[in-house]
Amino acid sequence: TTAVALSGVTKVYGRGDNAVLALDGVDLDVRAGEFVCLVGASGCGKSTLLNLVAGLDQVTSGAVQLTGDSLDGPAVRPGFMFQEPALFPWLTVAANIEVPLKLRGLARADRRAQVAELLETVHLTGFGRHRPHELSGGMRQRVALARTLALDTPVLLMDEPFGALDAMTRDLLHDELERIWSQRRLTVLFVTHNVREAARLADRIVLLSSRPGRIIHDTRVDVPRPRR
Ligand code: ADP
Ligand code: ADP
């Protein structure tokens, strides 16, 4: 079943002499449960594509569907992670993770239980009372991941989420993300310009080229790893 579908998506920024054709007629069908990495040189339209799927920006023409399961189903709200964790600095780690739970209208006892579970999921049990500035970059990004998971969405959109981290921390987070993706049966669209990172994570790699942004390769990767 299809979780995310782009058909004939074109995005033009600006107008007249300043117009930039960032994406030119992009078709992409992402199946539920797929881990897709979008790769390509800087400026090829990776972030643009992700922002359009997220609904953070509008297509110039074409259509984006995001249903998480079947295209007949209702639209889902995806989780989005950026290179910066964008935590609320004045809130504790637990309170940051609790924000989506409040938005979802969960009762206090349920929120507490879920925060504890999410902290465990990202291996941060015991850090709930800390503030973001007391944590390392990798830990902050794990808090951001927990907060995104608290949305309980089937689709994760990630724009170079580990790009600012050192290689060792990134390796650890790759392992964690892979485990969480598998356990929660998530559909992931992951932007990176790091081909090694894509090879490590993806079961499908989509390569974009720039001027104009188009898909020039779309390859399934057979990754030897425990499957669901
Ligand atoms: P990345 O390569 O990680 O996508 P960029 O530096 O290309 O980062 O873009 C960072 C932000 O700046 C994005 O939100 C993007 O939409 C915006 N941006 C990129 N290029 C331009 C531009 N020419 N004019 C205005 N905004 C831009
Ligand atoms: P990538 O994420 O692959 O680095 P982007 O999606 O950020 O690429 O950018 C694709 C193209 O669109 C680039 O030429 C970039 O400069 C341009 N662009 C991105 N955002 C904007 C914007 N807000 N305004 C104008 N041009 C933009």
Side-chain angles (χ1 to χ4, degrees):
T1 57
T2 298
V4 180
L6 285 80
S7 46
V9 167
T10 293
K11 178 65 183 179
V12 180
Y13 290 108
R15 48 186 69 235
D17 291 346
N18 296 322
V20 175
L21 180 55
L23 291 175
D24 183 31
V26 170
D27 296 313
L28 180 67
D29 212 85
V30 179
R31 268 168 292 179
E34 264 188 326
F35 197 124
V36 177
C37 282
L38 293 173
V39 300
S42 186
C44 69
K46 304 181 295 294
S47 298
T48 297
L49 194 157
L50 216 62
N51 290 344
L52 294 173
V53 172
L56 296 174
D57 202 354
Q58 303 279 310
V59 299
T60 306
S61 64
V64 176
Q65 280 173 288
L66 201 161
T67 53
D69 187 13
S70 113
L71 287 185
D72 302 329
V76 299
R77 212 183 275 255
F80 206 122
M81 275 182 73
F82 307 92
Q83 190 163 325
E84 297 303 323
L87 302 173
F88 302 110
W90 60 88
L91 295 178
T92 64
V93 164
N96 267 281
I97 298 171
E98 203 181 359
V99 169
L101 302 174
K102 283 185 173 166
L103 292 175
R104 287 170 52 205
L106 270 67
R108 191 153 181 269
D110 292 339
R111 296 202 304 264
R112 288 189 152 223
Q114 287 216 21
V115 166
E117 195 185 313
L118 287 163
L119 283 170
E120 197 184 326
T121 299
V122 298
H123 299 306
L124 284 177
T125 298
F127 289 94
R129 288 175 196 281
H130 284 65
R131 307 264 165 188
H133 73 266
E134 298 171 315
L135 307 180
S136 70
M139 292 163 92
R140 282 201 289 269
Q141 205 51 307
R142 277 167 22 212
V143 176
L145 178 58
R147 187 179 59 180
T148 306
L149 295 172
L151 292 165
D152 197 29
T153 169
V155 179
L156 282 193
L157 309 175
M158 311 181 92
D159 195 348
E160 305 213 17
F162 310 140
L165 305 175
D166 63 88
M168 219 153 85
T169 307
R170 197 183 305 139
D171 283 348
L172 287 173
L173 281 164
H174 286 162
D175 292 344
E176 289 194 15
L177 176 61
E178 186 173 48
R179 174 179 54 81
I180 291 165
W181 162 75
S182 167
Q183 281 171 355
R184 296 188 169 228
R185 295 164 186 271
L186 299 169
T187 305
V188 181
L189 257 174
F190 188 106
V191 163
T192 178
H193 59 249
N194 181 337
V195 173
R196 283 191 52 193
E197 179 166 54
R200 163 73 183 82
L201 289 171
D203 45 18
R204 181 175 166 198
I205 296 180
V206 172
L207 177 63
L208 292 162
S209 77
S210 55
R211 292 191 194 78
R214 283 189 185 143
I215 293 175
I216 54 169
H217 276 291
D218 186 344
T219 314
R220 309 208 105 264
V221 191
D222 277 319
V223 201
R225 62 181 169 201
R227 299 307 307 253
R228 291 157 279 179

